[in-house]
Amino acid sequence: MKIQCDCGAKYAFDVAPEMVRGPVKFVCPGCGLDSSERVNELIRQQFSQPAGTATSAPPAVAGAQAPTAPVPIPSPPRVRLSQGGHAASAAETPDVKDTRFCSKHPQQRTTSKCRVCEKPMCPKCMELFGYVCSPHCQEKAELQGIEIPVYAGRKSVVERKQWGKIGLVVKLVAVLVVALVGVWFWYAWFGTRPHVAFAVRFANEPAMSGMSALCGPGQIVFVHGNRLARYDLKTKQEVWSRELVDKKKIADEAARELKERQTAAQRGEDLFKPPQLEELIRDMTRAAERELELHVQAQNIWVAADGKLVRYDWNSGEPRQAVAVGDGFSRGRTHGDEIEWRSGDGEGQMAVTRFNLTSGQARTNIIGEPSRSAGAQTAVPGPNAVAGKTNTTMTAKSSAAAKKSGAAKSKRPDPQKLAAQLADAPYAAKVAAPATIATALNQERTMGEIRSQDEDPASRSPAKAGADFEAHFTLIPTRDGFVQFSHRLIEEKFISHSAMKTPPKKSALDGNLSVTATTDVANELLNEMQRNAGNDQVVENVSRYAVRVRIGDGKNVADWSGEVVGPPALYPLASVNAIVAGKTLIVLDQSNKPKWQSTLNYPVPGGGDDSFVADDEAAAHRGLGPVVERSDTLYIFDQGVLSAFEVATGNARWRLPSVGISGIYFDDAGMLYVNTTTASPDNIKYSKQIDVSDRINAVVLKLEPKTGKELWKQTLSGNLSYLSGQYLYSVAYTGPRDDDDEINSDMAALGMETKPYLRIRRINPKNGQLMWEYFQPRGPLDVKIDRNTIQLVFQREVQVLKYLSF
């Protein structure tokens, strides 16, 4: 017979007719349920015995054997059979199970009982159903409303907790990722972009000059027009401010000058109409404001004006010390906390003054003797003479005269300027440009005829070829002292050659004028203007000069003398001194002896004018050059090539053709950055030729200094202006217009007039990619950058921009 217990366990056993007369007892080994009545009923049905028939059990006989109990299948079933009312002998009693151990897991001790059927259970049993032994008991508990507590060790509960923990971790990770993405997005698009950290606006008349300096703990000092002020950057409050220009004094001077001008006009001595008093006061005030120079070192605030330096108190802004600096201070160079400048007659005697901004002390070294003509009359400054400040406030007469002459000159159309404006003009402007240029050309022809009639041929003084010039004396301060450099003209010689292409045989105006031909027409008209103005020729100075170099006072080291072709210039370097003249480079060692010499491809830009060493701030904004010594290499750039020579031998390590190099930089790792352009050698050969379609852009190169290998190249809106560690900036701007700046109505209508603007770009030093761009549609008066801080001075506002950087 086969039966199935309520717990789901199945059993099979043999039955016999004797079981009808003697009921058996059946207990399920799995759940402990007593199913004897149901089993006996099934046995009676098996042998067709009515359920109520009474059958007498045979009397128990001593030693008699009980009926054989049926054995369930599988596993030995826990079936206990007995004769009704008769106890079996000990030998006939079935095996007794040890209830201390689980029947399903013999190696596990029972620790609990089923809350429904009270069956003993071990921990492994409880892992399946908890405090019930089977799904059947669990269903009974639900039907009977028996509250079964949750067993913490049940597999479903453990798995639910584990998945809960996993879900919590996933949620935390997701939240963290979202937060990181949000922080990165904010940092990339907002945190790293400059924002206004400080701003102060002025409602009075707009200033046309100004400077600023960050100093002290969160402090800014600036000059805006005639106002000197100190502000706290954290509180954004003014600490103090004061006016530097005496407006009453200027008004009195303006009134006196105007009266003199009116008297001269009545006598016919002044052909120009006298200006209005208000206009004259404004011009003289702005001239005085432009003379103001701000120098700040720690908490020492100095302002230069009227031939003197005035120190202002840090706490109150009151003037505390005044030091006379004389002429030449405006050409001073800043080195750390010192300012150096030169003064003298430029021929026989020169003085180099070093002023310490911290101590307020100045020391001057005078070299040479005054020239014979210096005491008798004011000498005309030579090529290397320093034009110093002679007056703080420009007189009304000279200001007005300069203004009138400048205005007359500005009315003449400049072909180069027109071409530059036309290159950036919109399409509509380029289409309309030929007509506008033609009108300007006719005006220029008329003005040229008038100028040729008014000019007195006798007033033209011919060049004095071969004249005997006195030796020109220049004193150049270095870190170790001074280097004296003098040169004397031996033979004057100039070579003139055309720097423009031959005009086309067929004019662009002869054919059918179409929209596509407007560029050719504009080029032809502009180049004709160049030739008519006499700007088609380039004059090259190939004169012979005798040069002399003296180190210090010349007592310890002998002078070096030589002869060169072309205007000479001296560049004192760390371990050598370099002389550049024309296309020749001569290198002298520390003993003032020739070390090596080389020939360049082109003349060095700026050579021969003023080789005074650039200051730290200027070098930071424009770059080093044209001659730079770094480690064991000497770098020099001429008009078209950047060359690297070994300092010891003069061997050329590499040469990089590049036209228009203006400065070089070195970062902390020694990598080389070059400010250059997209110009070609033809732009040097035909430097006066105009082609509005040939747009030359600023380019920044990053080179490996040992090999000259190009690491990256980027075309920017301006030159590289600042490099410090990870901070690399390109700055381009056009300053604000003065009230008197004339606007060409035709060019303004064509959209070719340059508007004031400011554009700062931060470049990634690793790959040259643009990190961000900051733009303002107004031109600044002054721009300074210090790592991640940008100082801006505008006509009506002073700003400090900052951004986050790690």
Side-chain angles (χ1 to χ4, degrees):
M1 178 180 289
K2 297 180 180 179
I3 65 172
Q4 182 175 357
C5 182
D6 291 342
C7 67
K10 296 180 180 180
Y11 303 96
F13 53 88
D14 296 331
V15 296
E18 291 80 5
M19 294 181 180
V20 178
R21 296 188 297 270
V24 298
K25 188 174 182 62
F26 180 81
V27 178
C28 176
C31 62
L33 180 65
D34 187 356
S35 302
S36 301
E37 183 179 352
R38 188 173 60 168
V39 172
N40 290 324
E41 181 65 27
L42 292 175
I43 293 174
R44 284 193 293 269
Q45 292 177 3
Q46 180 75 17
F47 293 100
S48 302
Q49 178 68 29
T53 304
T55 305
S56 60
V61 181
Q65 197 171 24
T68 306
V71 180
I73 300 174
S75 73
R78 296 178 59 191
V79 181
R80 297 190 293 273
L81 301 177
S82 65
Q83 295 286 341
H86 299 281
S89 62
E92 296 168 353
T93 301
D95 295 336
V96 179
K97 295 289 184 179
D98 189 353
T99 58
R100 294 177 301 175
F101 292 91
C102 181
S103 59
K104 289 184 178 181
H105 309 92
Q107 303 299 325
Q108 297 288 330
R109 281 184 175 272
T110 58
T111 58
S112 182
K113 291 182 179 182
C114 177
R115 296 298 177 92
V116 177
C117 65
E118 296 188 353
K119 174 189 173 182
M121 296 183 300
C122 70
K124 284 191 173 292
C125 295
M126 299 180 70
E127 288 180 0
L128 296 176
F129 307 108
Y131 288 103
V132 294
C133 61
S134 64
H136 176 70
C137 290
Q138 184 175 356
E139 183 178 0
K140 277 187 175 183
E142 293 175 356
L143 293 175
Q144 296 177 10
I146 301 174
E147 185 176 353
I148 305 297
V150 178
Y151 177 57
R154 188 174 177 178
K155 285 186 177 180
S156 59
V157 175
V158 173
E159 291 177 355
R160 187 163 57 248
K161 288 183 178 181
Q162 291 178 347
W163 281 109
K165 291 180 180 180
I166 294 174
L168 180 60
V169 172
V170 171
K171 290 179 181 178
L172 291 177
V173 171
V175 171
L176 181 60
V177 170
V178 171
L180 290 176
V181 171
V183 170
W184 174 84
F185 181 83
W186 176 86
Y187 176 76
W189 293 96
F190 299 98
T192 59
R193 303 303 175 96
H195 64 276
V196 179
F198 169 83
V200 54
R201 293 187 59 84
F202 302 95
N204 55 353
E205 184 180 355
M208 293 306 299
S209 60
M211 302 176 68
S212 67
L214 293 176
C215 52
Q219 304 290 305
I220 183 173
V221 176
F222 59 82
V223 172
H224 186 264
N226 72 328
R227 179 189 298 270
L228 173 66
R230 174 188 157 205
Y231 275 74
D232 187 281
L233 295 177
K234 295 181 179 179
T235 62
K236 300 179 175 59
Q237 298 298 320
E238 177 185 293
V239 179
W240 51 260
S241 68
R242 63 179 298 107
E243 293 186 354
L244 303 178
V245 177
D246 190 345
K247 293 185 177 181
K248 184 178 183 304
K249 179 180 178 181
I250 291 180
D252 294 341
E253 293 180 359
R256 183 173 59 257
E257 291 290 341
L258 180 60
K259 185 176 181 180
E260 294 178 0
R261 290 286 305 278
Q262 291 174 345
T263 302
Q266 292 175 358
R267 296 175 180 175
E269 299 175 359
D270 193 346
L271 301 178
F272 297 102
K273 180 181 178 180
Q276 297 293 326
L277 179 60
E278 293 77 9
E279 181 182 357
L280 189 57
I281 293 176
R282 184 200 61 190
D283 292 343
M284 295 178 67
T285 301
R286 289 185 175 179
E289 292 174 353
R290 289 189 178 96
E291 294 290 328
L292 301 175
E293 293 184 24
L294 176 66
H295 299 274
V296 179
Q297 178 65 29
Q299 295 186 356
N300 299 284
I301 303 173
W302 297 87
V303 177
D306 198 16
K308 61 183 178 181
L309 269 170
V310 179
R311 187 206 297 260
Y312 291 88
D313 186 77
W314 172 260
N315 296 316
S316 63
E318 296 295 326
R320 297 301 184 193
Q321 180 183 1
V323 179
V325 293
D327 298 340
F329 180 80
S330 61
R331 296 287 300 275
R333 303 296 193 260
T334 302
H335 296 284
D337 61 348
E338 287 191 337
I339 301 177
E340 300 175 347
W341 69 93
R342 296 175 296 172
S343 58
D345 58 21
E347 295 181 354
Q349 186 182 70
M350 184 168 291
V352 175
T353 303
R354 289 176 175 172
F355 181 82
N356 191 289
L357 296 172
T358 302
S359 64
Q361 301 297 320
R363 63 185 189 275
T364 302
N365 294 79
I366 299 177
I367 306 297
E369 298 294 334
S371 62
R372 288 171 295 180
S373 60
Q377 60 183 6
T378 303
V380 178
N384 288 358
V386 178
K389 298 181 185 178
T390 58
N391 217 332
T392 300
T393 305
M394 185 183 297
T395 62
K397 186 174 182 179
S398 61
S399 175
K403 181 178 174 183
K404 293 287 185 180
S405 61
K409 183 178 180 180
S410 64
K411 292 180 181 179
R412 302 179 185 178
D414 185 351
Q416 295 284 1
K417 184 177 181 180
L418 292 176
Q421 293 172 337
L422 187 58
D424 297 330
Y427 179 74
K430 293 181 179 180
V431 173
T436 304
I437 297 173
T439 302
L441 179 59
N442 291 332
Q443 294 176 353
E444 172 61 17
R445 288 171 178 167
T446 303
M447 293 298 297
E449 294 176 358
I450 295 175
R451 288 194 299 268
S452 62
Q453 295 174 1
D454 295 340
E455 190 177 61
D456 184 7
S459 63
R460 303 175 187 174
S461 56
K464 299 179 181 180
D468 186 14
F469 282 78
E470 294 184 0
H472 185 82
F473 175 79
T474 303
L475 187 66
I476 304 175
T478 66
R479 294 180 180 179
D480 299 326
F482 302 92
V483 176
Q484 303 176 46
F485 180 64
S486 59
H487 62 267
R488 179 175 56 85
L489 180 66
I490 299 176
E491 178 185 5
E492 187 180 49
K493 184 178 181 181
F494 295 91
I495 299 177
S496 178
H497 57 85
S498 176
M500 296 185 66
K501 297 179 181 179
T502 304
K505 296 181 179 179
K506 182 179 179 181
S507 174
L509 298 172
D510 295 341
N512 295 327
L513 296 181
S514 61
V515 175
T516 57
T518 56
T519 300
D520 296 334
V521 174
N523 286 336
E524 183 174 335
L525 293 175
L526 290 172
N527 286 312
E528 184 179 351
M529 291 177 64
Q530 281 279 80
R531 295 185 182 92
N532 293 341
N535 296 331
D536 59 332
Q537 298 291 316
V538 172
V539 178
E540 182 179 359
N541 186 353
V542 291
S543 304
R544 293 167 51 215
Y545 294 87
V547 297
R548 184 185 67 184
V549 178
R550 173 176 294 178
I551 299 178
D553 55 8
K555 297 179 181 179
N556 300 325
V557 180
D559 297 347
W560 178 86
S561 301
E563 184 178 317
V564 296
V565 176
L570 176 68
Y571 298 91
L573 305 174
S575 64
V576 295
N577 292 324
I579 301 174
V580 175
K583 301 178 181 179
T584 302
L585 170 64
I586 302 173
V587 176
L588 307 178
D589 61 15
Q590 293 181 336
S591 300
N592 216 18
K593 295 180 180 179
K595 196 175 183 69
W596 50 269
Q597 181 174 330
S598 182
T599 302
L600 307 176
N601 298 78
Y602 299 94
V604 174
D609 294 333
D610 190 355
S611 58
F612 190 47
V613 181
D615 64 348
D616 298 338
E617 184 177 352
H621 287 79
R622 294 192 299 268
L624 303 173
V627 185
V628 181
E629 181 183 356
R630 178 83 174 189
S631 185
D632 60 347
T633 306
L634 188 144
Y635 302 90
I636 180 171
F637 56 84
D638 53 31
Q639 295 177 357
V641 179
L642 171 62
S643 304
F645 298 95
E646 292 182 359
V647 175
T649 63
N651 295 330
R653 287 181 170 172
W654 50 266
R655 297 179 189 268
L656 176 69
S658 184
V659 178
I661 299 177
S662 58
I664 62 178
Y665 293 83
F666 293 92
D667 62 13
D668 298 338
M671 293 295 104
L672 176 62
Y673 299 81
V674 182
N675 272 331
T676 184
T677 68
T678 57
S680 67
D682 279 350
N683 294 109
I684 300 177
K685 183 178 181 181
Y686 303 109
S687 59
K688 300 296 184 178
Q689 185 74 22
I690 295 176
D691 185 354
V692 296
S693 62
D694 184 17
R695 183 173 180 177
I696 299 176
N697 297 317
V699 173
V700 177
L701 304 176
K702 183 178 182 179
L703 308 177
E704 206 287 322
K706 293 295 183 183
T707 61
K709 178 182 177 182
E710 182 180 302
L711 301 179
W712 54 257
K713 176 180 180 180
Q714 284 295 330
T715 302
L716 306 173
S717 62
N719 288 330
L720 182 64
S721 304
Y722 182 88
L723 188 154
S724 177
Q726 60 176 327
Y727 302 99
L728 194 66
Y729 297 97
S730 166
V731 180
Y733 68 91
T734 299
R737 288 184 176 276
D738 201 343
D739 299 337
D740 296 330
D741 285 350
E742 296 184 3
I743 299 178
N744 189 310
S745 58
D746 294 329
M747 296 302 167
L750 294 174
M752 297 166 59
E753 196 71 37
T754 303
K755 297 181 179 180
Y757 75 98
L758 168 66
R759 179 179 285 108
I760 303 176
R761 291 179 172 178
R762 186 183 177 192
I763 312 301
N764 190 334
K766 296 180 180 179
N767 52 27
Q769 296 297 318
L770 177 66
M771 299 180 69
W772 51 257
E773 177 178 292
Y774 180 82
F775 179 83
Q776 285 202 41
R778 56 177 175 172
L781 301 169
D782 183 57
V783 179
K784 284 187 175 64
I785 299 178
D786 181 17
R787 298 173 66 82
N788 62 334
T789 303
I790 303 171
Q791 304 162 228
L792 302 174
V793 179
F794 295 98
Q795 287 182 298
R796 295 184 181 273
E797 188 176 14
V798 176
Q799 286 185 347
V800 176
L801 310 179
K802 297 193 73 173
Y803 64 90
L804 294 179
S805 180
F806 298 102

